[in-house]
């Protein structure tokens, strides 16, 4: 053992000698041969600064480790930590530092540390054509100043991991315009556990195409950041991608170096915490201390440019025309101007010159409700007066009130409550430009900076109100926004119409793609709020640096907003007067009352009629309800009380659908998009009852997709649809890896009840027999609905029919289904059909639906039973009567008496038959002898006293019987009997 220890010690000593010899042969380390790093923090929050050789550098004599700065130490903004001295130093010009943070504002390529993960949904047997590589090309794409998400229906995550020594935050700017793509931002720790509430991860839609700011707090430790997008493609149209820029992470312990300014920016001072953007007609390279000017006459650049480009020849695409404001003589001019900033050169070959301004022309008239007061501008008529725009304002006659609205159909200047702008998500070329230009009888989209600019027109309305003489019912129509437009395009242009309610969020109402002929569109307002209506025109969605489609324009000819709070009047209408003489003062009519033409007094609409929202003058304003329906208490709508009666073949059939009055839900599907995204169509429907209140609710971005008790927020209902029948698109939680199901694209299918009938047509809506074929004797009961909201594809609005079919086998709520050839309940997107099969849809039972069966009399009692007819097609109504027991007489005694009498009668008949048969034989014998004797004496017969046997004469021939005769012989005997009778009659007595 001692030898072993000696051997081990000698080995250690030998190794030390060899290592020392090797180190002695290495050169002494210089400053450029190594760098300093900090060790990981220990449990006490301390760390050490150690020297680490640079790659491929071998040297001896590294500095000894020293205690480093505490783990929570950080430098101020504009400074960095020099680890060699462990002191904070200011950043050099051309660089910047956030101090405790890092910033990603350059997206020419994917920054170091970021990764892309495209998630493929589950493979289901229902969609076996899915391939794992269907999303391999989906990713976030760097676009220079921002990064762009995928625009297909894959789920793609942008991931970045950061380790913080102390609590911090992450912030970024984003543009999120399309609700057909779901955008999540959430944080996980190193155990893949989400560190924030799942309800907070959904990012809010952008307002009016603006860049929005989003910030989330970070905890100390490892934070894995996820920006995840999922497109929902229900058709062939791509969704608009999400854009992100300026990602900033605060809470980093220290920054060991400053970041260089990206091209197009600069910092001219030491200790900068950010870089400045180079102005127009200048440029800069990376880490620039100043911007370099372009050759102003020959080159140009936009803000934040990294290079200058040559100015092209001027063309028609570089100018535009405007109408000058009217002067005191009501004259205007067409002025041509270069688009600013001017980037073209007029002196180059092929370049055009700016056309001369035109001569003076007559100004268009003032818009209705305005008048010309001798100045260059039109003024609104005072309250209580009206004007058609051509004449002076006049006072409304007694008994009338002004029709308050905004009607813009002449476009010399932009109205005061409208503004226009230009916006591009990727650059600032059109900032400050007018998005739309007035043009006399219309307003049209402007030129913009590039073809993918959003040319925006906003209209602000403070609120809506009912006319003075009408008190609106709850949920009734308050106003309408109607505009007449056309798209003149050769590219994939789109005109978007959006609505912002109470400045909370902008929702897309309708879009009009491609070329559109002259047409009108109407949007209905049902609630008083502050509205911002927006028209945004985009020539193409493809990013471009030039204007190729400058001739693609959208024209709006007129915009009319009825019942606006601050509106003006172009006409007057009759109003209701009070019961006493109050001059021309108008009084409001209660809900459901019209204005009588003769007395100008308020009168209630007749029963089972509803008041039209646009016309309250005259009894004809009260429209009769459809069959099987009645009006609600304020005559604002018609509905069914769930009780239906109709006559068939002189029989009255009654139905009671009260048990089906609650909101029913149909989830139809699944369906799949082109890349396999699974989705369902959810329909909530309120069949009848509830006093006419619309009970079906569909909500976007909810977790309980079957929730029927969701109520819209009184102030924010832009994502809620409440009506008779509504539809939502449901993305299940297992389809995209979501933790909860998602609901989107909520649509109103029925806000007007037309009636209920067994006919296949009502109100212009027809049910084809092959939609829901039936062989039952009882016809379906059809509920007809209509939506007043029109779209570009459904110009007459949407129509819905629910067919109630009697099916005794399906108890309770039964089953709701869609047509087999149209699994989404519609084949054209405008007409929807549903079949509701249940026993509750059978008519109420009556006495005709059962029969009586009487039993045998047993022991003096007889039972009577009642059973339903075979194939029972009724429900509830009358109940089946109980069996009845009644007294009766038994038939056993009379049966015995009858049997005895029958037996006696049979014996008597046999005896009489035998007696008379024997007598007949004797007569036949005598008759035969008489015939023989007569023949022998040639009818010289004796004169017997009688042909019969005389009294006292013996019957000496008793033993003589005739043989049994055949049928022929019996007939002969009958003939001879007749002869014998004749002969007997001729014999004298």
């Amino acid at each position: 053992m001692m030898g072993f220890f000696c051997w081990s010690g000698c080995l250690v000593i030998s190794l030390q000698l060899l290592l020392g010899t090797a180190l002695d042969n290495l050169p002494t380390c210089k400053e450029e041969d190594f760098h300093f790093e900090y060790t990981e923090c220990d449990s006490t929050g301390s760390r050490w600064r150690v020297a680490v050789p640079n790659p491929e550098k071998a040297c001896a004599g590294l500095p000894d480790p020293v205690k480093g700065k505490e783990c929570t130490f950080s430098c101020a903004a504009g400074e960095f930590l020099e680890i060699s001295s462990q002191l904070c130093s200011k950043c050099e010009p051309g660089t910047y530092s956030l101090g405790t943070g890092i910033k990603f504002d350059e997206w020419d390529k994917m920054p170091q540390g970021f990764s892309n993960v495209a998630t493929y949904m589950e493979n289901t047997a229902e969609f076996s054509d899915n391939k794992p590589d269907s999303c391999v090309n989906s990713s976030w794409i760097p676009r220079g100043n921002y990064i762009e998400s995928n625009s297909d229906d894959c789920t793609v995550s942008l991931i970045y991991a950061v380790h913080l020594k102390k609590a911090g935050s992450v912030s970024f700017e984003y543009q999120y315009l399309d609700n057909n793509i779901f955008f999540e931002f959430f944080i996980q720790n190193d155990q893949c556990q989400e560190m924030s509430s799942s309800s907070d991860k959904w990012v809010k839609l952008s307002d009016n195409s603006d860049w929005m700011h989003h910030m989330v707090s970070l905890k100390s430790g490892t934070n894995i950041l996820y920006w995840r997008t999922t497109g929902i493609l229900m058709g062939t149209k791509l969704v608009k991608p999400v854009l992100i820029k300026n990602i900033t992470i605060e809470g980093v312990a220290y920054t060991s170096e400053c970041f260089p300014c990206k091209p197009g920016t600069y910092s001219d001072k030491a200790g900068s915490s950010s870089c400045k953007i180079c102005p127009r007609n200048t440029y800069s390279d990376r880490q620039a201390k100043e911007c370099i000017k372009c050759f102003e006459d020959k080159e140009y650049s936009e803000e934040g440019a990294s290079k200058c480009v040559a100015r092209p020849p001027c063309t028609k695409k570089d100018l535009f025309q405007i109408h000058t404001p009217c002067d005191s003589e009501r004259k205007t001019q067409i002025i041509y101007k270069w688009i600013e900033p001017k980037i073209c050169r007029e002196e180059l070959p092929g370049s055009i010159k700016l056309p001369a301004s035109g001569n003076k022309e007559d100004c268009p008239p003032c818009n209705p409700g305005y008048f010309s007061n001798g100045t260059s501008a039109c003024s609104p008529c005072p309250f209580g007066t009206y004007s058609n725009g051509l004449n002076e304002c006049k006072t409304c006659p007694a008994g009338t009130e002004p029709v308050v609205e905004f009607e813009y159909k002449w476009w010399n200047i932009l109205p005061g409550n409208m503004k226009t702008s230009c916006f591009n998500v990727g650059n600032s070329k059109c900032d400050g430009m007018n998005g739309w230009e007035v043009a006399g009888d219309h307003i049209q989209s402007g030129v913009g900076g590039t073809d993918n600019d959003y040319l925006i027109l906003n209209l602000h309305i403070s609120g809506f109100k009912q006319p003075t003489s009408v008190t609106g019912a709850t949920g009734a129509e308050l106003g309408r926004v109607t505009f007449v437009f056309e798209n003149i395009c050769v590219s994939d242009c789109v005109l978007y119409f959006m609505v912002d309610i109470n400045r909370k969020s902008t929702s897309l109402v309708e879009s009009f793609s491609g070329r559109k002929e002259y047409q009108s569109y109407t949007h209905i307002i049902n609630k008083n709020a502050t509205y911002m209506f927006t028209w945004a025109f985009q020539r193409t969605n493809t990013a471009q640096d030039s204007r190729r489609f400058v001739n693609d324009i959208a024209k709006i000819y007129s915009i009319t907003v009825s019942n606006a709070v601050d509106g003006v009047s172009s006409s007057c209408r009759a109003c209701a007067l009070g019961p006493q003489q109050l001059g021309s003062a108008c009084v409001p009519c209660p809900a459901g009352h019209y204005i009588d033409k003769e007395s100008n007094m308020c009168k209630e609409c007749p029963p089972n009629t509803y008041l039209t929202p646009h016309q309250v003058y005259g009894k004809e304003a009260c429209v009769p309800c459809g069959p099987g329906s009645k009006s609600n208490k304020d005559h604002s709508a018609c509905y069914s009380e769930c009780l239906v009666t109709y006559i068939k073949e002189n029989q009255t059939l009654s139905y009671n659908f009260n048990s089906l009055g609650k909101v029913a839900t149909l989830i139809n599907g699944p369906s799949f998009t082109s890349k396999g995204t699974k989705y369902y169509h959810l329909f909530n429907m309120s069949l009848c009852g509830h006093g006419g209140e619309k009970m079906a609710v569909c909500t976007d971005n909810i977790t309980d997709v079957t929730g029927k008790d969701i109520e819209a927020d009184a102030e924010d209902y832009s994502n809620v649809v409440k009506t008779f029948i509504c539809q939502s698109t449901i993305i299940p939680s297992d389809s995209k890896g979501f933790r909860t199901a998602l609901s989107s694209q909520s649509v109103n299918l029925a806000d007007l009840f037309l009636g209920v009938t067994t006919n296949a047509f009502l109100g212009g809506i027809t049910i084809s027999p092959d939609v829901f074929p039936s062989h039952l004797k009882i016809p379906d009961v059809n509920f007809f609905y209509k939506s007043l909201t029109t779209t570009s594809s459904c110009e007459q609005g949407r129509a819905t029919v629910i067919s109630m079919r009697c099916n005794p086998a399906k108890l309770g709520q039964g089953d709701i289904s869609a047509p087999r050839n149209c699994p989404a309940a519609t084949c054209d997107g405008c007409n929807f059909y549903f079949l509701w099969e249940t026993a509750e849809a059978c008519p109420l039972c009556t006495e005709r639906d059962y029969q009586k069966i009487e039993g045998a009399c047993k022991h003096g009692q007889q039972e009577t039973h009642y059973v339903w007819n075979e194939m029972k097609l009724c429900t509830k109504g009358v109940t089946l009567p109980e069996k009845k027991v009644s007294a009766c007489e038994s038939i056993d005694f009379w049966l015995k008496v009858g049997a005895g009498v029958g037996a006696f009668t049979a014996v008597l008949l046999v005896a009489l038959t035998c007696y008379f048969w024997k007598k007949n034989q004797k007569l036949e014998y005598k008759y035969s002898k008489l015939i023989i004797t007569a023949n022998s004496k040639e009818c010289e017969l004796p004169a017997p006293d009688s042909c019969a046997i005389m009294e006292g004469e013996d019957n000496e021939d008793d033993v003589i019987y005739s043989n049994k005769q055949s049928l022929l012989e019996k007939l002969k005997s009958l003939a001879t009997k007749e002869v014998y009778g004749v002969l007997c009659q001729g014999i004298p007595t």
Side-chain angles (χ1 to χ4, degrees):
M1 182 66 69
M2 181 63 68
F4 173 77
F5 283 112
C6 292
W7 177 84
S8 300
C10 292
L11 179 61
V12 173
I13 295 171
S14 299
L15 290 174
Q16 289 177 345
L17 292 173
L18 290 173
L19 183 59
T21 303
L23 292 175
D24 291 339
N25 295 330
L26 291 177
T28 303
C29 291
K30 300 179 182 179
E31 290 186 2
E32 61 269 16
D33 294 332
F34 64 91
H35 64 278
F36 292 103
E37 291 183 3
Y38 279 126
T39 63
E40 292 294 330
C41 295
D42 57 23
S43 59
T44 63
S46 301
R47 57 187 172 184
W48 293 82
R49 189 202 68 177
V50 296
V52 180
N54 292 331
E56 300 180 357
K57 292 289 186 181
C59 62
L62 290 173
D64 295 331
V66 297
K67 190 170 184 179
K69 293 285 188 181
E70 60 271 15
C71 291
T72 58
F73 174 82
S74 60
C75 296
E79 296 179 343
F80 72 99
L81 179 63
E82 287 188 286
I83 301 182
S84 59
S85 63
Q86 298 199 80
L87 297 175
C88 292
S89 301
K90 290 187 176 182
C91 292
E92 296 290 333
T95 63
Y96 74 99
S97 169
L98 300 178
T100 60
I102 52 178
K103 185 175 183 179
F104 301 96
D105 58 355
E106 191 173 351
W107 298 95
D108 294 316
K109 62 180 181 179
M110 192 69 72
Q112 185 178 2
F114 281 87
S115 60
N116 259 310
V117 176
T119 303
Y120 177 73
M121 321 59 69
E122 82 289 349
N123 263 329
T124 61
E126 300 160 293
F127 199 82
S128 58
D129 293 336
N130 290 335
K131 296 181 179 180
D133 60 351
S134 62
C135 292
V136 69
N137 294 323
S138 296
S139 66
W140 287 78
I141 305 172
R143 296 293 190 187
N145 293 326
Y146 59 89
I147 186 170
E148 178 182 287
S149 75
N150 61 308
S151 57
D152 54 20
D153 53 356
C154 293
T155 298
V156 184
S157 298
L158 178 67
I159 305 173
Y160 184 78
V162 61
H163 186 80
L164 301 183
K165 300 301 181 182
K166 57 181 179 180
S169 65
V170 57
S171 63
F172 57 91
E173 296 178 54
Y174 70 92
Q175 167 121 157
Y176 177 26
L177 300 173
D178 195 341
N179 60 4
N180 288 322
I181 187 170
F182 294 109
F183 181 28
E184 309 167 78
F185 175 71
F186 58 94
I187 306 162
Q188 290 184 348
N189 58 20
D190 50 6
Q191 281 81 39
C192 295
Q193 298 175 342
E194 289 194 18
M195 302 174 64
S196 58
S197 173
S198 60
S199 61
D200 298 333
K201 68 180 182 179
W202 302 108
V203 182
K204 180 183 176 184
L205 282 169
S206 300
D207 293 334
N208 299 322
S209 302
D210 294 335
W211 284 97
M212 305 288 287
H213 185 265
H214 189 79
M215 185 177 71
V216 177
S217 298
L218 300 179
K219 297 179 180 179
S220 59
T222 300
N223 293 265
I224 306 175
L225 314 179
Y226 288 83
W227 293 265
R228 186 164 70 179
T229 55
T230 304
I232 308 300
L233 275 66
M234 300 308 169
T236 58
K237 185 177 179 181
L238 297 179
V239 299
K240 289 189 174 297
V242 175
L243 311 180
I244 296 176
K245 67 178 183 180
N246 295 335
I247 298 177
T248 303
I249 300 175
E250 296 282 355
V252 177
Y254 67 94
T255 301
S256 59
E257 60 181 354
C258 295
F259 300 100
C261 292
K262 68 178 183 177
T265 64
Y266 71 100
S267 66
D268 55 355
K269 295 180 180 179
S272 296
S273 60
S274 62
C275 297
K276 302 176 184 177
I277 298 176
C278 288
R280 294 181 187 272
N281 297 325
T282 64
Y283 74 98
S284 71
D285 295 323
R286 182 180 302 277
Q287 200 169 340
K289 301 177 183 179
E290 61 181 359
C291 298
I292 304 172
K293 289 186 178 181
C294 300
F295 291 103
E296 203 161 323
D297 295 336
K298 297 181 180 181
E299 296 177 335
Y300 77 97
S301 70
E302 303 293 340
E303 286 186 354
S306 60
K307 63 180 180 179
C308 296
V309 295
R311 294 182 181 270
C314 293
T315 65
K316 291 183 178 180
K317 298 178 180 179
D318 296 302
L319 57 85
F320 66 99
Q321 66 180 33
I322 63 171
H323 288 71
T324 62
C326 296
D327 57 20
S328 58
E329 298 177 354
R330 297 294 298 168
K331 298 290 185 179
T332 185
Q333 283 183 309
I334 298 179
I335 302 297
Y336 294 93
K337 291 185 176 182
W338 294 115
I339 297 174
E340 295 294 340
K342 182 184 176 184
I343 62 174
C344 64
R345 294 174 61 184
E346 299 180 56
E347 68 275 10
L348 293 177
S351 180
I352 66 170
K353 300 293 183 180
L354 190 67
S357 298
N359 297 325
K360 287 188 175 183
E361 300 176 357
D362 290 335
C363 278
C366 294
N367 280 309
Y370 291 81
F371 72 100
S372 176
N373 57 3
T375 63
S376 60
C378 295
S379 302
C381 288
F383 180 77
T385 64
Y386 69 99
S387 172
N388 59 3
L390 300 174
N391 303 319
E392 296 293 325
C393 298
K394 298 180 181 179
T395 303
C396 287
T400 64
E401 65 177 358
V403 179
V404 179
E405 63 183 7
F406 286 115
E407 183 181 1
Y408 301 123
K409 64 179 182 178
W410 299 111
W411 304 92
N412 178 251
I413 61 173
L414 200 65
N417 59 347
M418 300 183 73
K419 66 178 182 179
T420 178
S421 59
C422 180
F423 174 78
N424 191 297
V425 296
N427 57 63
S428 57
K429 291 182 179 181
C430 73
D431 291 358
M433 291 184 180
N434 287 333
W436 292 69
E437 301 289 348
V438 294
D441 63 345
H442 67 275
I443 184 172
Q444 67 184 36
S445 56
V447 178
T450 57
D451 285 341
N452 66 330
D453 291 341
Y454 287 98
L455 306 173
I456 298 172
L457 179 67
N458 300 116
L459 171 62
H460 179 265
I461 301 297
S462 300
F464 290 85
K465 65 177 181 180
Q466 285 280 9
T468 305
S469 296
V470 180
T471 301
T474 302
E477 179 181 320
L478 283 179
R480 292 191 171 199
V481 179
T482 303
F483 59 95
V484 179
F485 73 99
E486 69 173 331
N487 289 353
I488 304 174
C489 302
V490 295
S491 63
D492 55 339
C493 69
V494 183
L495 176 64
Y496 299 96
F497 175 59
M498 298 174 285
V499 174
D500 179 279
I501 302 174
N502 288 333
R503 299 179 179 178
K504 288 194 173 183
S505 63
T506 300
S507 301
L508 178 64
V509 177
E510 189 62 73
S511 61
F512 308 92
S513 303
R515 184 178 183 88
K516 294 296 181 184
E517 300 296 333
Y518 184 93
Q519 59 184 272
S520 174
Y521 179 82
T522 298
H523 177 67
I524 298 175
I525 305 299
N526 298 106
K527 184 176 181 179
N528 185 24
T530 300
Y531 287 81
M532 177 70 79
F533 302 102
T534 300
W535 293 264
F537 180 71
Q538 187 181 39
R539 292 185 175 91
T540 179
N541 190 35
T542 305
Q544 297 181 4
D545 293 329
S546 61
R547 292 187 290 264
R548 295 176 51 199
F549 305 108
V550 69
N551 294 323
D552 288 5
I553 59 174
K555 292 183 177 181
I556 296 179
Y557 292 91
S558 66
I559 299 176
T560 303
V561 184
S562 63
N563 297 332
V565 169
D566 300 325
V568 294
S569 177
S570 61
S571 62
C572 300
R573 61 184 163 203
C575 65
L577 300 178
Q580 302 175 355
Q581 289 299 112
L582 299 176
S584 61
C586 296
V587 296
C589 285
H593 287 63
Y594 69 95
I595 302 172
D596 184 67
K597 291 183 178 180
E598 297 181 357
S599 63
N600 270 21
M601 303 291 288
C602 297
K603 288 189 177 181
E604 185 177 4
C605 282
N608 298 329
T609 63
Y610 70 96
L611 190 65
T612 58
H614 302 294
Q615 173 63 33
V616 296
Y617 190 62
K619 192 174 182 179
E620 59 271 18
C622 302
V623 180
C625 293
S629 63
K630 61 178 294 185
S631 61
N632 55 9
K633 60 182 180 180
D634 53 15
H635 294 277
S636 62
C638 297
Y639 72 102
S640 170
E641 284 188 315
C642 302
L643 303 176
V644 180
T645 301
Y646 86 101
I647 299 176
K648 176 192 175 185
E649 299 176 356
N650 296 326
Q651 294 183 359
T652 300
L653 297 181
S654 300
Y655 297 82
N656 188 339
F657 298 108
N658 275 303
S659 60
L660 306 177
K662 296 181 179 179
V663 176
T665 298
L666 168 64
I667 300 181
N668 210 352
S671 300
F672 297 88
T673 63
S674 59
K675 288 194 175 181
T677 301
K678 182 168 64 176
Y679 65 94
Y680 295 84
H681 291 292
L682 178 140
F683 300 91
N684 283 332
M685 52 192 74
S686 175
L687 184 69
C688 56
H690 306 287
E693 184 180 357
K694 302 169 184 177
M695 300 299 294
V697 177
C698 293
T699 307
D700 289 351
N701 295 330
I702 59 174
T703 56
D704 183 9
V705 297
T706 60
K708 309 178 185 69
D709 301 324
I710 302 171
E711 294 295 335
D713 187 349
E715 295 298 328
D716 184 12
Y717 61 99
S718 58
N719 294 329
V720 175
V721 174
K722 188 174 184 181
T723 183
F724 289 117
I725 305 172
C726 60
Q727 175 191 8
S728 293
T729 300
I730 304 300
I731 310 298
S733 58
D734 62 345
S735 179
K736 291 290 188 179
F738 298 141
R739 295 194 173 185
T740 55
L742 300 179
S743 173
S744 67
Q745 300 177 348
S746 297
V747 178
N748 175 9
L749 300 182
D751 49 18
L752 179 64
F753 180 66
L754 299 180
V756 53
T757 177
T758 56
N759 296 329
F761 56 87
L762 181 66
I765 309 170
T766 303
I767 310 174
S768 175
D770 57 352
V771 174
F772 298 118
S774 174
H775 303 289
L776 295 177
K777 296 181 179 179
I778 299 178
D780 297 338
V781 179
N782 301 312
F783 287 74
F784 290 82
Y785 304 84
K786 191 172 182 64
S787 173
L788 299 177
T789 303
T790 60
T791 64
S792 57
S793 57
C794 302
E795 297 180 355
Q796 303 300 322
R798 297 181 176 93
T800 305
V801 182
I802 301 178
S803 298
M804 308 299 298
R805 178 169 295 176
C806 174
N807 190 333
K810 297 185 177 182
L811 304 178
Q813 291 287 322
D815 295 329
I816 305 176
S817 60
R820 291 183 178 179
N821 58 334
C822 304
T826 178
C827 294
D828 57 4
C830 299
N831 297 302
F832 292 77
Y833 301 95
F834 301 94
L835 177 64
W836 195 336
E837 295 183 273
T838 172
E840 300 296 327
C842 296
L844 298 179
C845 295
T846 64
E847 289 80 0
R848 298 187 302 272
D849 296 304
Y850 63 82
Q851 54 185 335
K852 179 174 67 174
I853 299 178
E854 294 182 348
C857 183
K858 295 181 180 180
H859 307 293
Q861 290 185 336
Q862 183 182 36
E863 294 183 349
T864 301
H865 297 267
Y866 299 88
V867 294
W868 295 112
N869 295 335
E870 188 177 357
M871 187 67 178
K872 178 187 176 185
L873 295 176
C874 67
T875 184
K876 299 178 181 178
V878 300
T879 58
L880 201 63
E882 299 289 340
K883 72 175 182 179
K884 294 182 180 179
V885 179
S886 57
C888 64
E889 295 182 1
S890 177
I891 64 171
D892 293 345
F893 172 76
W894 294 108
L895 185 60
K896 293 177 181 179
V897 172
V901 172
F904 174 78
T905 303
V907 172
L908 180 61
L909 289 175
V910 170
L912 291 174
T913 300
C914 294
Y915 172 77
F916 285 109
W917 180 79
K918 186 175 182 180
K919 293 282 291 182
N920 185 52
Q921 292 293 324
K922 292 181 178 181
L923 290 175
E924 289 181 356
Y925 171 74
K926 292 291 184 179
Y927 175 73
S928 299
K929 288 182 66 176
L930 180 63
I931 292 300
I932 295 172
T933 305
N935 290 335
S936 62
K937 295 182 179 182
E938 296 179 356
C939 290
E940 293 179 3
L941 298 175
D945 295 334
S946 154
C947 289
I949 299 176
M950 300 303 297
E951 185 179 356
E953 186 179 58
D954 294 333
N955 185 1
E956 52 191 23
D957 300 321
D958 288 345
V959 296
I960 300 174
Y961 297 94
S962 63
N963 295 329
K964 186 177 181 180
Q965 297 175 321
S966 66
L967 178 62
L968 182 61
E969 290 173 341
K970 289 182 180 181
L971 293 175
K972 292 180 178 180
S973 299
L974 292 177
T976 55
K977 285 182 180 181
E978 293 180 0
V979 174
Y980 174 72
V982 173
L983 293 175
C984 289
Q985 291 177 0
I987 298 175
T989 304

